[in-house]
Amino acid sequence: MKIETKTAHFSSPLYLESGRILEPYEIAYETYGELNEEKSNVILVCHALSGSHHAAGTYEGDRKPGWWDGLIGDGKAIDTTRYFVICTNVIGSCFGSTGPMSESYPSLEPYRLKFPVVTIKDMIRAQMHLLSDLGIYHVRAVIGGSMGGMQALQFAVDYPNFADDIISLAATYATRPWTIAFNKVAVEAIRRDPRFKHGNYAKDDFKEEGLDGLAVGRIAGHISYLSPDSMDEKFGRNYVSNDGLFELFGRYEVERYMEYNTNNFSTIFDPLSYLYIVKAINTFNLSRGYDSLYDAVSRIKARVHLVSFSSDYLFFPSEMEHIAKMLERNGQEYTYLEVESSYGHDAFLVELDKFDQHIKDVLK
Amino acid sequence: MKIETKTAHFSSPLYLESGRILEPYEIAYETYGELNEEKSNVILVCHALSGSHHAAGTYEGDRKPGWWDGLIGDGKAIDTTRYFVICTNVIGSCFGSTGPMSESYPSLEPYRLKFPVVTIKDMIRAQMHLLSDLGIYHVRAVIGGSMGGMQALQFAVDYPNFADDIISLAATYATRPWTIAFNKVAVEAIRRDPRFKHGNYAKDDFKEEGLDGLAVGRIAGHISYLSPDSMDEKFGRNYVSNDGLFELFGRYEVERYMEYNTNNFSTIFDPLSYLYIVKAINTFNLSRGYDSLYDAVSRIKARVHLVSFSSDYLFFPSEMEHIAKMLERNGQEYTYLEVESSYGHDAFLVELDKFDQHIKDVLK
């Protein structure tokens, strides 16, 4: 299938949870498969912090496919011969949807730090506008992992009649201080980097040499995406070269991995977008706006499918279990699967073979 | 008791594991209690990454006592009415012992990045020289937590006849990539900070305004010293002020804690010392120089007392248990205590009442 980014333009205001308004705004998205006549075969896929709307397929001339390509495609768990799959870039991101480096209409200047704080609730409200625009008022399922899993859960609570099935992987009911602390490394590293210039950098400042603060913050991120055991398996105590032991900057394999992944990332991802999306993750709390988490969860009408990973050190299985317990107590329809994995939080992107059958079953 | 720093000067060379030589060198230390005539009542206390030789008591005019003051003193677990307690500042540190900002004799210039890499083995060899200098060839016990616990274990292996009891808390047999990754945040944050100037900063550059890189790296450190549960208890999801939710830099309590602890630290601790000590922690491997960990451990003649903390996310209880299993298999004398705690790695500094009786019993 040919993969291309589409962009929807909205001149109507997007009312944000903060009380502020985003107007106009754009949403970049991709679709895979064909929409049927009844518009009853839609699956909405939600991406995580560093992801984009490019969830599946490979761009012409590109080598790397989308981030969930193993899951989405013809005959795959999310079968594009049967379903029409949509993935949108979240508001605040830097891959085509309106974010802090977008022009703040009517000025031609980017918003920068004047961009309003967006929340998970805002992200999904924007997606609802896009779907309405496409004439889609109901979807077969919403699915996502990590921040994508937060969005899926928020859809379930905020729009109870919107989806038949909600599939949330490696997420939580409310972001705990543990995760906020990991994000804090990135926030401080970016803020304090002189090249960040309090947000007043030029758009192409980091194309050649990424912002160090973002790279450093991302190292902390990568720690939280792995686990002590997965690092043992992946890297052990090996040095990149033999003389590493007695050289101050002699590197262990794990250090090379961190450098490689983060230096590259900092040339691609916009630091302001990183701050805004991290803020959206930090403020995620399914019970905000409701009397309690129980109250929020009891609004859900969709079947909820919770998937956690045994070695997830960012959002622990106990957090997903907590949601499962509330659904159970309330007699709501749900499934809960804890996948045995040593890949940590990353498992939702890596160990697809451990849960793709489960997703197939849900969508049968 | 009056607390004061003493400094021992050595003109003889310190042969390092790297093959390099440190000459001359100095060791700063403190002592508490009185040495008896037989010199048989010595307890050696080893400090952790950010610690110093100031383990107990309070300096004149100071408010804050030493880092293990709750454990060391008259009538306390390490009873200074019975024992003569010594704590030395490790080689490489910045509190009086020779480190990267010391003059590289005969030049008056600091070593900076030319300072040799030091290891845990080197740190304890230096301490052996100091004790010999004081006419002490055998001690009642060596005790320490975290990097101090590494030193205690290394004493047990390298100098089998040196101590009757080895007490190691919250440590490991070899630093795992998980911990190296946390340290990597600090290494990169410091290296990439322009004010670090590749190590060519002036001695008082950070007295007023600490090095951002060190502060940022220290945030990652503090994450690893706590645990998800301890953060829930300590901070919850509370904001510092009510308007935090929709302000990009509105801070959660956990963020304030991180800022407060790390900004202050970065005005006190030397960034080069931090890099060198972190390197010593990364390279810690009890089996290096021996055929295997089993071979290293089987050399031990002292009674070994291992204390781990259930919520330690830096050095997991399973790591101490691993050492215990080897001692068990080999029929060596040991005790293993896993302390139930939600304080994470920090518990060895904070929850003294949970293990001080155990230490009393060991020293009886």
Side-chain angles (χ1 to χ4, degrees), chain A residues 66-347:
Chain A
W67 54 271
W68 242 1
D69 187 69
L71 214 60
I72 304 164
D74 289 5
K76 296 178 187 173
I78 301 174
D79 190 347
T80 43
T81 63
R82 295 177 58 204
Y83 292 110
F84 178 63
V85 180
I86 305 179
C87 185
T88 84
N89 187 217
V90 297
I91 289 288
S93 183
C94 52
F95 295 118
S97 292
T98 297
M101 286 303 274
S102 304
E103 288 171 10
S104 59
Y105 183 85
S107 130
L108 295 172
E109 277 300 297
Y111 287 98
R112 303 185 187 278
L113 287 171
K114 285 178 188 142
F115 193 72
V117 161
V118 294
T119 65
I120 303 293
K121 264 179 190 287
D122 296 329
M123 289 176 179
I124 70 165
R125 194 178 292 123
Q127 291 175 66
M128 287 298 272
H129 287 301
L130 172 68
L131 290 173
S132 298
D133 214 48
L134 300 172
I136 297 163
Y137 305 102
H138 183 85
V139 300
R140 176 71 185 79
V142 181
I143 181 169
S146 196
M147 187 180 81
M150 293 174 171
Q151 291 169 66
L153 290 169
Q154 195 75 59
F155 268 112
V157 170
D158 288 1
Y159 307 105
N161 298 307
F162 177 63
D164 296 329
D165 287 281
I166 295 290
I167 310 174
S168 175
L169 301 94
T172 184
Y173 53 90
T175 302
R176 295 166 73 191
W178 175 252
T179 298
I180 296 171
F182 272 101
N183 287 337
K184 181 68 171 172
V185 177
V187 171
E188 288 305 310
I190 292 170
R191 279 181 79 173
R192 295 171 189 230
D193 191 317
R195 290 175 67 221
F196 178 62
K197 296 178 185 162
H198 308 286
N200 293 309
Y201 52 85
K203 239 180 177 169
D204 53 2
D205 273 359
F206 311 128
K207 281 218 170 112
E208 295 290 315
E209 204 195 328
L211 187 74
D212 285 320
L214 181 54
V216 167
R218 193 70 185 156
I219 297 176
H222 274 289
I223 296 173
S224 72
Y225 307 149
L226 297 175
S227 75
D229 288 349
S230 72
M231 288 194 193
D232 281 349
E233 281 174 37
K234 228 175 148 113
F235 315 111
R237 281 184 49 81
N238 299 324
Y239 273 103
V240 173
S241 70
N242 279 329
D243 41 275
L245 182 57
F246 297 121
E247 277 176 16
L248 182 61
F249 295 124
R251 293 177 307 162
Y252 284 93
E253 287 287 355
V254 65
E255 295 183 291
R256 174 163 67 177
Y257 172 88
M258 293 296 173
E259 279 179 41
Y260 177 81
N261 278 284
T262 58
N263 285 342
N264 188 39
F265 181 80
S266 67
T267 64
I268 294 165
F269 210 95
D270 176 64
L272 275 167
S273 272
Y274 204 80
L275 292 177
Y276 275 91
I277 298 180
V278 146
K279 177 77 183 181
I281 291 172
N282 285 352
T283 58
F284 176 64
N285 185 352
L286 210 49
S287 65
R288 190 170 58 249
Y290 302 97
D291 287 347
S292 63
L293 181 60
Y294 186 77
D295 177 41
V297 165
S298 65
R299 288 174 52 90
I300 298 174
K301 289 184 186 169
R303 292 178 292 269
V304 178
H305 309 279
L306 306 165
V307 180
S308 71
F309 298 90
S310 62
S311 57
D312 192 335
Y313 270 67
L314 189 60
F315 302 120
F316 292 81
S318 57
E319 300 175 41
M320 293 296 256
E321 248 175 272
H322 188 62
I323 304 172
K325 271 182 205 153
M326 299 223 163
L327 291 162
E328 174 73 34
R329 207 202 304 169
N330 212 25
Q332 289 168 272
E333 237 184 303
Y334 79 97
T335 64
Y336 171 65
L337 173 69
E338 181 179 327
V339 175
E340 261 307 306
S341 168
S342 64
Y343 277 79
H345 185 67
D346 265 356

Side-chain angles (χ1 to χ4, degrees), chain B residues 161-192:
Chain B
N161 298 307
F162 178 62
D164 295 330
D165 288 281
I166 296 290
I167 310 173
S168 174
L169 300 95
T172 184
Y173 54 89
T175 303
R176 294 167 74 192
W178 175 252
T179 298
I180 295 171
F182 273 103
N183 287 337
K184 181 69 171 171
V185 178
V187 171
E188 289 305 310
I190 292 169
R191 277 181 80 174
R192 295 171 189 231

Side-chain angles (χ1 to χ4, degrees), chain B residues 91-139:
Chain B
I91 290 288
S93 183
C94 52
F95 296 118
S97 292
T98 298
M101 286 303 274
S102 303
E103 288 172 11
S104 58
Y105 183 84
S107 130
L108 295 173
E109 278 301 297
Y111 286 98
R112 302 185 186 278
L113 288 171
K114 287 180 188 140
F115 192 72
V117 161
V118 294
T119 65
I120 302 293
K121 264 178 189 288
D122 296 329
M123 288 175 178
I124 70 165
R125 193 177 295 121
Q127 291 175 67
M128 286 299 272
H129 287 301
L130 172 69
L131 290 173
S132 298
D133 214 50
L134 300 173
I136 296 163
Y137 305 102
H138 183 86
V139 300

